[in-house]
Amino acid sequence: MGKTLAYKILQDHLVKGDFVPGEEITIRIDQTLTQDSTGTMVYLQLEAMDVDKVKTELSVAYIDHNTLQTGFENADDHAFIRSVAQRHGVLFSKPGNGICHQLHLENYGKPGKTLLGSDSHTPTGGGLGMIAIGAGGLDVAVAMAKGTYSLNVPKMVKVNLTGKLRPWVSAKDVILYVLKKLTVKGGVGKIVEYTGEGVKTLSVTDRATITNMGAELGATTSIFPSDERTLEYLTQQGRAGDYIPLEADADAVYDEELEVDLSSLTPLAAMPHSPDNVDTVSNIGEIKIDQVAIGSCTNSSYADLMKVAAILKGKKVHPDVSLVISPGSSKIMAKLASNGALADMIVAGARVIENACGPCIGMGQSPKSGAVSLRTFNRNFKGRSGTNDASIYLVSPETAAVSAVKGVLTDGMKCGEELHEVLPVDFAFNDNFIVYPQGTNKSNTEVAMGPNIKPFPRNSALPENVEAKVVLHAGNNITTDDIMPSDSRLLPYRSNIPHLSNYCFEKIDSGFSARCKEAGACCIVGGENYGQGSSREHAALAPLYLGVKFVLAKSFARIHRNNLINSGILPLVFENPKDYDDFEIGQELVIENAREQVKKDCIVVKNKTTGREIMTTGAFSEFEEDMILKGGKINSIK
Ligand code: MIC
Ligand code: SF4
């Protein structure tokens, strides 16, 4: 029986376990990446593990999220990360270099390698034929310390691409189409592998747009083969030597299949407030827009921005629209500056800002009250722009640019203008933004601890009986942005959990943290796909700090489930989803004989208020069980 490409790479890296879907395996991790908003926790945890040099082939610490330095906090975080990177042999990418995923693709990603990143969009690397997985910070810290990562063998989804995209339709429309078909929970526990004749019509940066937004499917990762287009990209980046050809066997067996005829796609948009709420731009119609934001790790490549510049050249941004552009990397910005494209954008009326995440994570550029904002980003969750009543539509760079000129959502295919393919160019090597660790040994650098950096909360061993009061009864698809909101006001406190925890669930229930503090020991009831979205372990650490002992839900998103277990909080799934309706805020629950029960298939949760017993499952692996019993991953490792 033939093998999928993903299975070939995973098996190549297998350290422990049987390679059976659903079973836990441990794999070797070749590379890690961190970014700054999750990175401070990662490096605090790495320090707590008391290791010397990292065990990976390459680890990079990027600064790209918290770059709006409105006080000392963010700059102190950067200095802290830089000092720990130096102590353990990690490359440090200075703020201004660009967005971690774009930079990693350009400079370090290699076909056939494994990459673990403390950011949910790490699968961007799948565009280069690598297994690139997003994880919680502690998992990445452990991967640096030990060179390994454990996961359940995912199922395989094949997306067979045929045909070729027409002008005005791009890679973003491909992934929006897949999201419409599979939904934001369609990829949980699965790897999405792209195959077929259509693959070669897509460049590596097109492929990276698609694998990047595979995170929105909830997938473990997404991957493309490594072929002549991969060689073309690596050659442009001066790294042809990193190329190896890789593909699935012709008779590889997949668990699910989806056909996508690229030639039949038209421009699409994800409507508020979910990336899978997708329709065609022409069906949505010419809605009036207030803001257009182009950039993010999904759509800030050279080719994307050259198309934008071509559309804007000689035109004027509509008087009612604010157009903001953030390039993905310093190399891309330099190229746009030297070939005149930057001038075309600026002359048209675009606001060009730093090479960073920026507006994608609400770090500035929040739209006005009640605004309609078109964004080339990957998430349009309510409130993520920094404005709670904004309507965010996710679109391709082409749709964004033409709409910015017209002032209304516009289908480029119908605008009567030609749009040509962007020709590939070579990029000059530039590592001026990189700080290399010098003569690494822990004693030659002090850890630079700013006053806002506080120790991360630690759990204790699981007691015999776990008592908890219900403090929240939440709906389906709760995001980690709902659990731990992030914007320019809160991001500076990513290294200060005691402060951050005051804002836990703030946007959907402002009484949450006060209720937790009053209850002392508490629990959360959630619906389907609880904890979807980002990898931020703050969405587990803040609840831990507030006394949350367990979460009962209909199902969990992968990274958040892991983050809860890493923190010693039990993620429990209702055996009968209807039991969800039985709970109310204020009820008192207990898991009796918890230490014995976590070893069993079924965990009984008693509702002391109603007298009912509810059956749940933890489905913990041996290692997860150990973490739960000992009160989290750090305790378990020690
Ligand atoms: C995001 O896009 O939501 C983030 C901000 O990049 C997060 C990481 C974080 O919350 O720091 C992610 O995707 O993991
Ligand atoms: Fe940054 Fe946005 Fe990408 Fe997250 S999704 S890494 S915030 S650009």
Side-chain angles (χ1 to χ4, degrees):
M1 191 169 81
K3 282 189 196 155
T4 67
L5 171 56
Y7 279 8
K8 286 186 194 182
I9 302 176
L10 286 172
Q11 277 184 314
D12 237 24
H13 287 78
L14 193 64
V15 174
K16 203 174 124 195
D18 294 328
F19 204 83
V20 177
E23 291 296 304
E24 187 177 76
I25 51 165
T26 301
I27 56 166
R28 204 174 63 251
I29 294 296
D30 301 318
Q31 305 184 342
T32 62
L33 70 78
T34 58
Q35 42 87 336
D36 48 332
S37 63
T38 55
T40 48
M41 284 298 137
V42 177
Y43 294 106
L44 282 170
Q45 289 153 345
L46 189 64
E47 280 293 326
M49 277 184 269
D50 202 19
V51 289
D52 287 326
K53 202 176 169 322
V54 294
K55 302 282 191 308
T56 49
E57 291 172 9
L58 172 92
S59 288
V60 190
Y62 295 96
I63 306 293
D64 54 0
H65 282 62
N66 290 342
T67 57
L68 206 65
Q69 293 155 225
T70 51
F72 60 88
E73 295 87 354
N74 291 346
D76 278 3
D77 283 353
H78 304 168
F80 164 73
I81 292 173
R82 179 177 167 168
S83 69
V84 183
Q86 162 67 23
R87 281 163 62 83
H88 300 284
V90 173
L91 267 62
F92 178 80
S93 167
K94 287 160 78 175
N97 196 18
I99 306 171
C100 57
H101 308 303
Q102 180 64 39
L103 290 169
H104 209 84
L105 200 71
E106 286 175 359
N107 302 305
Y108 305 112
K110 289 184 189 174
K113 295 283 181 185
T114 54
L115 165 69
L116 195 74
S118 67
D119 191 281
S120 64
H121 291 104
T122 305
T124 312
L128 269 178
M130 61 193 313
I131 288 286
I133 302 177
L138 183 50
D139 286 325
V140 178
V142 172
M144 281 193 261
K146 298 189 159 201
T148 58
Y149 175 63
S150 301
L151 74 162
N152 291 341
V153 177
K155 290 191 171 163
M156 290 297 310
V157 181
K158 166 174 163 172
V159 178
N160 193 45
L161 303 177
T162 54
K164 187 176 187 314
L165 294 171
R166 294 175 287 172
W168 294 101
V169 189
S170 73
K172 182 62 156 281
D173 301 303
V174 178
I175 187 62
L176 288 175
Y177 179 80
V178 175
L179 269 156
K180 185 180 167 68
K181 291 280 166 197
L182 301 183
T183 81
V184 289
K185 52 182 197 303
V188 178
K190 299 170 192 166
I191 294 181
V192 183
E193 190 163 307
Y194 291 83
T195 64
E197 276 303 292
V199 163
K200 64 175 185 301
T201 68
L202 300 172
S203 67
V204 163
T205 52
D206 290 336
R207 297 173 187 185
T209 294
I210 294 170
T211 58
N212 170 284
M213 253 187 112
E216 275 52 72
L217 295 165
T220 303
T221 191
S222 305
I223 188 167
F224 273 84
S226 172
D227 57 10
E228 62 273 24
R229 300 302 303 266
T230 319
L231 177 60
E232 170 193 280
Y233 179 80
L234 289 170
T235 308
Q236 284 158 28
Q237 301 296 337
R239 299 201 290 129
D242 288 341
Y243 173 70
I244 49 163
L246 287 173
E247 61 180 352
D249 292 333
D251 57 346
V253 178
Y254 294 83
D255 300 286
E256 283 172 42
E257 295 197 14
L258 177 69
E259 288 289 325
V260 181
D261 174 8
L262 299 174
S263 339
S264 70
L265 295 182
T266 58
L268 298 172
M271 298 176 286
H273 297 284
S274 180
D276 62 357
N277 188 17
V278 173
D279 202 349
T280 61
V281 167
S282 65
N283 275 352
I284 299 168
E286 296 188 344
I287 50 172
K288 191 161 164 37
I289 54 178
D290 304 290
Q291 186 194 46
V292 175
I294 298 176
S296 90
C297 55
T298 314
N299 277 126
S300 60
S301 68
Y302 172 76
D304 282 346
L305 298 187
M306 285 304 290
K307 274 189 261 174
V308 168
I311 295 165
L312 293 178
K313 189 173 175 144
K315 306 261 174 38
K316 178 179 175 175
V317 172
H318 191 277
D320 297 341
V321 174
S322 171
L323 169 64
V324 55
I325 301 174
S326 39
S329 78
S330 52
K331 272 189 192 176
I332 295 169
M333 178 72 116
K335 197 54 112 185
L336 299 175
S338 64
N339 70 11
L342 183 60
D344 293 336
M345 293 171 174
I346 295 170
V347 169
R351 305 165 71 176
V352 180
I353 59 169
E354 196 178 16
N355 317 312
C357 298
C360 179
I361 187 56
M363 265 285 171
Q365 303 287 331
S366 296
K368 69 177 185 186
S369 294
V372 172
S373 175
L374 300 191
R375 300 178 158 216
T376 66
F377 308 164
N378 45 40
R379 291 185 174 140
N380 57 347
F381 303 145
K382 199 170 184 331
R384 188 174 153 101
S385 66
T387 311
N388 227 11
D389 60 3
S391 295
I392 310 290
Y393 290 74
L394 305 175
V395 295
S396 70
E398 292 89 329
T399 302
V402 69
S403 304
V405 173
K406 305 276 183 202
V408 291
L409 178 65
T410 303
D411 179 342
M413 286 178 105
K414 295 186 178 154
C415 77
E417 286 171 34
E418 276 191 72
L419 185 61
H420 299 289
E421 246 180 81
V422 176
L423 297 175
V425 288
D426 289 343
F427 290 86
F429 177 75
N430 179 10
D431 61 356
N432 289 343
F433 277 93
I434 297 292
V435 181
Y436 294 98
Q438 299 293 327
T440 299
N441 93 51
K442 268 170 57 180
S443 57
N444 68 7
T445 312
E446 286 287 303
V447 177
M449 275 286 198
N452 182 50
I453 303 175
K454 306 286 182 222
F456 59 93
R458 300 275 284 265
N459 211 334
S460 43
L462 189 73
E464 283 307 333
N465 293 333
V466 182
E467 308 255 1
K469 200 177 225 179
V470 179
V471 282
L472 187 74
H473 193 243
N476 288 339
N477 293 319
I478 287 291
T479 70
T480 51
D481 283 75
D482 293 327
I483 305 172
M484 201 55 262
S486 283
D487 53 26
S488 57
R489 186 181 49 118
L490 292 181
L491 276 160
Y493 298 101
R494 282 296 187 94
S495 32
N496 186 343
I497 301 287
H499 181 80
L500 203 61
S501 65
N502 293 320
Y503 302 91
C504 201
F505 280 106
E506 189 202 27
K507 289 197 171 133
I508 58 173
D509 183 346
S510 57
F512 178 83
S513 76
R515 221 178 294 132
C516 289
K517 283 176 187 161
E518 202 195 311
C522 39
C523 67
I524 292 168
V525 179
E528 297 275 9
N529 201 23
Y530 180 85
Q532 69 155 332
S534 91
S535 68
R536 70 190 67 147
E537 64 191 341
H538 304 73
L541 292 174
L544 167 65
Y545 182 82
L546 292 170
V548 174
K549 306 294 175 200
F550 54 90
V551 181
L552 298 171
K554 291 184 186 172
S555 66
F556 287 89
R558 177 186 64 89
I559 306 180
H560 187 59
R561 177 181 180 275
N562 292 347
N563 285 339
L564 289 172
I565 296 172
N566 288 351
S567 306
I569 300 175
L570 285 84
L572 300 174
V573 177
F574 294 115
E575 281 198 349
N576 179 358
K578 289 209 175 89
D579 286 339
Y580 163 89
D581 299 323
D582 268 18
F583 290 93
E584 275 174 24
I585 291 179
Q587 289 175 338
E588 304 217 347
L589 314 186
V590 61
I591 305 174
E592 287 167 348
N593 299 323
R595 294 188 67 82
E596 271 313 302
Q597 284 217 64
V598 292
K599 298 177 189 156
K600 302 203 173 121
D601 290 342
C602 172
I603 299 173
V604 182
V605 180
K606 210 183 232 175
N607 189 331
K608 294 205 291 188
T609 312
T610 63
R612 274 200 71 201
E613 289 191 342
I614 304 292
M615 306 302 154
T616 69
T617 44
F620 302 124
S621 70
E622 217 176 294
F623 183 34
E624 289 173 342
E625 195 182 293
D626 193 62
M627 290 192 265
I628 297 277
L629 287 172
K630 293 186 175 141
K633 191 164 196 160
I634 289 249
N635 299 352
S636 167
I637 287 170
K638 283 209 150 182

